[in-house]
Amino acid sequence: MCGTYWTVRRRFERAGHLDDAEIGFQMKIVFLIRSLAYGGAERQLVALARGLHGRGHAVHVGVFYPGGALEADLHAAGVPVTNLNKGGRWDTVGFLWRLGHFLRNERPQIVHGYLSTSNYLGTLTKPLHRARVVWGIRSSDVDVDRYDWFFRLDCEVARRLSRLSDLIIANSNAGRDHAVALGYPADRAIVITNGIDTERFRPDRQLRSAARVGLGVGDNEVLIGRVGRLDHQKDYPTFLRAAAIVARQQPNTKFVCVGTGPAEIGRSLRDLTAQLGLTDRVIWTGARPDMPAVFNALDVMVSSSAYGEGLPNVVAEAMACGVPSVVTSTGDSAWVVGDMGKVVERGDPTALAAATVEVIDTVVAKTVDHAAVRRRVIDLLSLDSLVTQTETALRPLVRERSFA
């Protein structure tokens, strides 16, 4: 196949016209990611892998920690998933041997990492697989001081090894700018924004009704949602303090928190909820597989992140369902919302509450243009554009490798 392709390709080049689609140009791509548990980066990888696979590319996903719920979506699409069965933080030698063996056997043209460890492991194993290595940057302005020494070491290793990458793809302008400021090579860093499956995430009155019944939310109540893992980055305390202010001003409001995280963070957030007198007003669901239903159930989506956001999937997915959002000014959140919601500074519960009340008033008055909220996501963040731009970015790397 490969030899036939390049024979035909050179013939077309000599003839002065070349159309990759006409001669069946395919790429062989391996994606690497820590796990496929519910998360924004994980959902984006699944969407991209499925999209590339659907266009005829040979796509394979290597997962460090198996068992993530999103693996089923890849299996259903016919995208192979290899579990590398990492035993934990200190399983290094055996894991690296399994990873190297997997990549050497696959012989990909592109190894595409998602998030820092996956990125630099693709680089470290390059002598074995000899593919082009693409890094995926999914965050911005991470506050490394909030994390342990191992995380800080991980970030430093990534920074140093970034110069050995062949291409760096950030999903936000803020993420690219932050990476370059840290020392990542600017000449190899580009931006390809997320793609939202607007057929899956769309307004649905039946989903809304069923989800609200399941959550115990009445038709006359306003439901405000915070979706994201329980992590310092997401700043749930600011959301909860803002919720307490909103609850005093708007008695018919309820709040739902959707996501999982370390047990100690969950306990501290529930303790704070009780201290704020919100125990009967806040619903904790954990991770949910039925996110289109969850977003449809909401009246307002809130992102209270303090740092680290690149391009927040959950905001865009909620907007695709016609739900207006209130976000903090981290990453490209303000760009996603545009004039279809409110933007406030980080770590300010009073400002977050005030903006949320403003949006609630438009919801109650029925002046929200839900179609326009959805249209912004369709126009800016289409899934087709994500796949097309990724193809366009990766193809030159495959050509350079093959002609080398």
Side-chain angles (χ1 to χ4, degrees):
M1 167 66 185
C2 188
T4 301
Y5 167 73
W6 288 111
T7 299
V8 174
R9 178 187 180 85
R10 291 186 179 100
R11 188 177 304 146
F12 269 67
E13 285 180 326
R14 286 194 297 269
H17 55 86
L18 176 63
D19 186 333
D20 283 326
E22 290 179 7
I23 59 176
F25 181 39
Q26 294 179 326
M27 295 179 286
K28 189 171 186 180
I29 307 163
V30 167
F31 287 95
L32 297 178
I33 193 165
R34 184 179 185 276
S35 78
L36 285 172
Y38 292 119
E42 291 79 3
R43 288 199 305 277
Q44 281 296 296
L45 184 148
V46 169
L48 179 56
R50 288 172 58 123
L52 291 169
H53 171 77
R55 295 191 183 185
H57 301 290
V59 179
H60 198 141
V61 178
V63 179
F64 299 171
Y65 293 96
L70 295 176
E71 290 182 23
D73 291 350
L74 290 175
H75 291 308
V79 177
V81 178
T82 292
N83 293 316
L84 298 165
N85 298 306
K86 199 172 191 303
R89 175 178 286 186
W90 306 114
D91 176 16
T92 54
V93 177
F95 169 71
L96 285 173
W97 185 89
R98 291 189 297 275
L99 174 61
H101 183 73
F102 162 63
L103 293 174
R104 184 176 58 199
N105 285 347
E106 281 300 306
R107 298 178 63 83
Q109 296 164 311
I110 300 285
V111 173
H112 192 330
Y114 252 59
L115 308 175
S116 65
T117 304
S118 302
N119 290 334
Y120 68 68
L121 287 178
T123 298
L124 289 173
T125 54
K126 192 169 184 177
L128 296 173
H129 57 72
R130 299 184 181 278
R132 297 299 191 189
V133 177
V134 177
W135 287 33
I137 305 296
R138 319 297 302 177
S139 61
S140 67
D141 67 333
V142 175
D143 185 356
V144 297
D145 292 334
R146 287 181 174 266
Y147 297 92
D148 63 15
W149 66 270
F150 192 86
F151 181 86
R152 294 194 294 272
L153 176 63
D154 187 73
C155 292
E156 178 60 19
V157 170
R159 185 185 71 81
R160 292 176 181 271
L161 289 176
S162 67
R163 296 194 170 276
L164 300 178
S165 63
D166 293 291
L167 180 67
I168 298 170
I169 300 176
N171 71 334
S172 67
N173 286 291
R176 182 193 180 277
D177 292 346
H178 180 67
V180 170
L182 288 176
Y184 285 54
D187 61 338
R188 272 165 272 163
I190 64 171
V191 176
I192 298 177
T193 55
N194 291 352
I196 305 302
D197 185 349
T198 54
E199 288 302 307
R200 181 176 180 227
F201 294 97
R202 61 187 305 140
D204 189 313
R205 300 297 301 180
Q206 289 185 330
L207 281 182
R208 175 179 170 83
S209 297
R212 287 172 72 93
V213 168
L215 293 169
V217 178
D219 291 339
N220 64 333
E221 293 179 305
V222 175
L223 184 61
I224 300 162
R226 176 66 176 110
V227 180
R229 68 185 182 278
L230 308 186
D231 184 275
H232 299 300
Q233 172 189 335
K234 304 301 181 182
D235 197 2
Y236 272 85
T238 290
F239 171 74
L240 293 172
R241 292 187 177 99
I245 299 170
V246 173
R248 289 194 293 271
Q249 298 179 21
Q250 303 275 346
N252 66 329
T253 52
K254 282 189 175 179
F255 308 86
V256 60
C257 297
V258 183
T260 59
E264 62 272 18
I265 293 181
R267 285 192 296 269
S268 69
L269 291 175
R270 284 172 173 78
D271 289 345
L272 177 59
T273 302
Q275 293 167 19
L276 293 168
L278 291 173
T279 300
D280 296 333
R281 304 282 288 275
V282 177
I283 305 160
W284 299 88
T285 72
R288 294 277 296 252
D290 57 338
M291 290 311 300
V294 170
F295 290 130
N296 270 283
L298 302 181
D299 295 295
V300 183
M301 171 71 186
V302 173
S303 174
S304 55
S305 295
Y307 60 89
E309 290 288 0
L311 193 155
N313 272 341
V314 294
V315 172
E317 289 166 353
M319 290 175 63
C321 295
V323 179
S325 294
V326 179
V327 302
T328 53
S329 56
T330 178
D332 282 5
S333 298
W335 175 80
V336 173
V337 170
D339 58 359
M340 293 292 113
K342 298 290 181 180
V343 182
V344 301
E345 289 304 311
R346 298 173 258 191
D348 187 342
T350 302
L352 189 65
T356 302
V357 168
E358 284 188 56
V359 177
I360 290 172
D361 288 343
T362 66
V363 170
V364 173
K366 300 186 185 303
T367 58
V368 177
D369 188 343
H370 298 284
V373 172
R374 173 173 166 79
R375 172 57 58 185
R376 182 169 179 83
V377 176
I378 292 173
D379 290 344
L380 296 181
L381 298 168
S382 78
L383 189 57
D384 184 69
S385 177
L386 167 67
V387 178
T388 297
Q389 288 186 66
T390 303
E391 281 183 313
T392 301
L394 299 186
R395 279 175 170 168
L397 300 181
V398 173
R399 293 166 181 158
E400 290 167 8
R401 177 178 182 270
S402 300
F403 282 125

